[in-house]
Amino acid sequence: MARHTRGDSNRRLETLLDLDKSGQGNKNITRQATQKLIPGHGLEFKNLSYSVLKKQKKDGVWITKETYLLNDISGQAMRGEIMAIMGPSGAGKSTFLDAIADRIAQGSLEGYVRMDGKAVTASYMKMISSYVMQDDQLFPMLTVFETFMFAAEVRLPPSISTAEKKKRVIELVNQLGLTSAMHTNIGNEGTRGVSGGEKRRVSIGVDIIHKPSLLFLDEPTSGLDLTSAYSVVEKVKDIARGGSIVLMTIHQPYFRIQMLLDRITVLARGRLVYMGSPTALPVYLAGFQRPVPEGENSIEYLLDVIKEYDESTVGLDPLILYQRDGIKPDQRKTKNRMPQTPLSMQSGAYPRLASHFYKDFSVWIYQGVTGTPRRPPTWTPARTPRQTPGKTPMSSSRSHIYNRHAPPPKPPVVFTPASDSLSYTTSYQEFDIEEEVLDEPEHRHKFANPWLREVAVLSWRTALNVIRTPELFLSREIVLTVMALVLSSLFKNLHKTEFLSINRLLNFYIFAICLVFSSSNDAVPTFIQERFIFIRETSHNAYRASSYVISSLIVYLPFFAIQGFTFAAITKYILRLHANIISFWLILYASLITTNAYVMLVSAVVPSYITGYAVVIATTALFFLTCGFFLKPSQIPMYWKWLHYISAIKYPFEALLINEFKGTRCYHGYDQELSPGPLGEIKISKLHYITQGINCTVHNDEHMLIGEDILFTMDIDHIESIWIDIGILLAWGVLYRLFFYVVLRFYSKNVRK
């Protein structure tokens, strides 16, 4: 393919200007430049405004100021076209994309978004659209083909057979130019995989496998070389030609990419500077009396003009006014005579939007500041509805809060700049908005698959990731195996019935629980990395949060069983513990399930793995302190006793002691052999007096204790069965999983507040 230089843009400009001067082509240029809105077609957005409160320090005093990230933006995107959103850094490109894609919390955004002239609900927007984030959030150990197949399994309904899904995946792989990398792992920083451009195309493919009507892409060419960037946009162009509406943010595309774009929307500080065809931009700039210099790219030159005005005392108002009303600036007289304070910063009763100060600014210009004739401007506020008899006009201040369910008050006014010898005036077209609200697409449910199928597919994917990432399982297995052998060598002769064995048994069991609970801490970074994939996939109803929670538990249950049995078997038979091996294993198994649920919950709440580690370590230490080993329940102050009962370590520790000491097994020795130690003052149980006649060998002046005396001394009163403790422990695990689901379902959403 032939390469284009930046001078090609300038030569195109000269051709367009020559045609315009000769009277030829002016009609076509006008049609390209104005991009007249067609009510009731495509994706329409009107008066989008979004503000945040920022704290600033002024004269040594902190003040709260309302800052507009989007300022009264209106326009339209059509099917079969790519609309590129451009602008300098901080222009509000990503914010604008989020606003249209319903990724800004309701009540925070003003204006409305409509599809084919009808209001849409947030649920409907999720079902018909996909959002490709700037970062490639993919599972590194899956191949390109597997990644697409999993996407097809969760996004396509079960009515489509597996063979048909596979056929669609292969077609998509070919369409995206990924045939050679089809069976290559995605890879990450530590594992070699596909290239950056290929990974970007995989991210796009995952979100278009179900052929969405709307496709949003945030910086799809970020970090790619020119060839890869062009390839990505070229594939996006093919997607648009298939009938989708594509909106994407892009930062200064080079000429070949510009030729693939149908419309561009240029923003500056959240305000609209230009919306139209990229080929008409040179004519537009010439009408603004800033023709594109020879050899310059028109879009890059516009960004330079924006920067020049933004850094001047004039501000962006001339550019905004020209785009809005077609009023040309007088470059010779406005350069030094504009006020030092931009219009948007002038005092007023409330923060003024672009539509609020257009009239004041245009009147101010025409009153002679720039030397132009005094005549009233043709201006109509964007938010003023057509007044009907008997009704009071709505205030021009922020009167219509964003609501997809309700239409705006009366028909809005749509403005269209009209070209006449490269000068722009304002024309209007009024239309009625239908009251119908789009809630669900025809013949489509909120989720493509039933719940059980989602669980099966997600379980399959999770198991495949675990198998291909053996360190997730083997690291814990190796740690528990090695530590079981080390403990078995340190705690010898625990099977003896001497007093010296009692404290050593207590120390062994508390350390065993400590080891089991700390072995799950590596789940913190693992899930935090996976959380971004979850947010991306569920933001557009790929599957339910409950399916994800249950599938992850199902996959890890057998691994927890193996880990618990490994530790229990080694220590039981080397140390010849009195404990029952099955009960010992079940207690460790329940402990692993519960601690994993707790770590997952913390990982879902905290923003980073560093914070997650800190929270897990701190709370686990608190659980250990109040579990009953260091401080018995009777020694804990009343105002802290609630910590003893919410401690997830209390229940497995008590269960292990009951499993070891329950019954009338006799221990003998001298009192000083029990001190110092966790037992403290010995309490004799009632069973001790009943079983005085048991066969227990006591030498000289030694004392005798039975197992239940030890449990009674440790303030354990429910010694009949270990199932009470196991049941409570598992109940905590279920509660943690439930909280984990609630966080994922209601709070893990990628929306701006």
Side-chain angles (χ1 to χ4, degrees), residues 246-416:
V246 178
L247 293 93
M248 67 178 186
T249 60
I250 192 168
H251 188 70
Q252 289 184 278
Y254 74 111
F255 188 79
R256 291 176 64 200
I257 292 181
Q258 292 178 29
M259 293 299 98
L260 296 174
L261 307 177
D262 299 293
R263 302 189 186 202
I264 60 172
T265 298
V266 183
L267 305 178
R269 294 194 180 275
R271 300 158 72 183
L272 184 61
V273 174
Y274 177 80
M275 181 178 290
S277 170
T279 57
L281 183 56
V283 182
Y284 182 86
L285 287 170
F288 188 65
Q289 303 176 10
R290 294 297 297 269
V292 182
E294 182 177 358
E296 286 287 333
N297 182 291
S298 58
I299 294 179
E300 293 179 0
Y301 181 69
L302 175 58
L303 296 177
D304 291 339
V305 172
I306 291 173
K307 181 180 180 182
E308 177 185 332
Y309 272 85
D310 190 30
E311 294 178 351
S312 69
T313 57
V314 177
L316 297 171
D317 298 323
L319 286 165
I320 307 300
L321 185 64
Y322 177 66
Q323 186 280 329
R324 172 61 178 85
D325 289 335
I327 301 175
K328 301 179 183 179
D330 189 329
Q331 298 292 336
R332 295 171 299 175
K333 296 186 178 182
T334 61
K335 192 169 184 178
N336 297 316
R337 298 184 64 179
M338 285 293 182
Q340 296 296 320
T341 304
L343 288 173
S344 59
M345 298 296 292
Q346 291 181 6
S347 60
Y350 50 82
R352 301 169 67 95
L353 300 178
S355 60
H356 298 163
F357 59 67
Y358 283 140
K359 184 173 182 178
D360 298 339
F361 184 55
S362 55
V363 170
W364 175 59
I365 291 178
Y366 282 100
Q367 284 178 346
V369 175
T370 62
T372 55
R374 294 170 179 261
R375 61 180 176 87
T378 56
W379 177 86
T380 302
R383 297 193 178 200
T384 303
R386 184 174 55 195
Q387 189 174 357
T388 56
K391 291 189 178 182
T392 304
M394 182 182 61
S395 170
S396 63
S397 63
R398 294 181 286 168
S399 51
H400 179 64
I401 301 300
Y402 177 77
N403 188 346
R404 297 188 185 276
H405 296 274
K410 299 306 288 182
V413 179
V414 177
F415 53 86
T416 307

Side-chain angles (χ1 to χ4, degrees), residues 160 228 297 345 362 422 459 546 558 747:
I160 300 177
S228 298
N297 182 291
M345 298 296 292
S362 55
L422 300 179
S459 298
S546 58
Y747 298 101

Side-chain angles (χ1 to χ4, degrees), residues 706-723:
I706 63 173
E708 293 195 7
D709 293 336
I710 300 169
L711 298 178
F712 189 66
T713 302
M714 295 297 293
D715 289 350
I716 301 175
D717 49 6
H718 54 283
I719 61 176
E720 292 80 11
S721 174
I722 65 170
W723 297 109

Side-chain angles (χ1 to χ4, degrees), residues 448-516:
N449 291 277
W451 184 80
L452 286 176
R453 181 169 179 81
E454 289 179 356
V455 172
V457 172
L458 294 176
S459 298
W460 174 30
R461 185 177 70 176
T462 303
L464 198 58
N465 274 301
V466 172
I467 293 172
R468 293 186 181 173
T469 315
E471 58 269 20
L472 292 176
F473 168 72
L474 289 180
S475 60
R476 300 184 192 179
E477 181 68 14
I478 292 173
V479 166
L480 290 175
T481 301
V482 172
M483 290 306 300
L485 294 173
V486 171
L487 288 176
S488 298
S489 64
L490 291 175
F491 292 90
K492 295 180 179 179
N493 301 321
L494 290 184
H495 63 285
K496 294 184 177 181
T497 59
E498 300 173 352
F499 278 5
L500 290 174
S501 299
I502 296 176
N503 281 333
R504 298 177 70 238
L505 279 168
L506 296 176
N507 292 333
F508 167 76
Y509 281 123
I510 192 62
F511 189 85
I513 291 298
C514 173
L515 180 64
V516 168

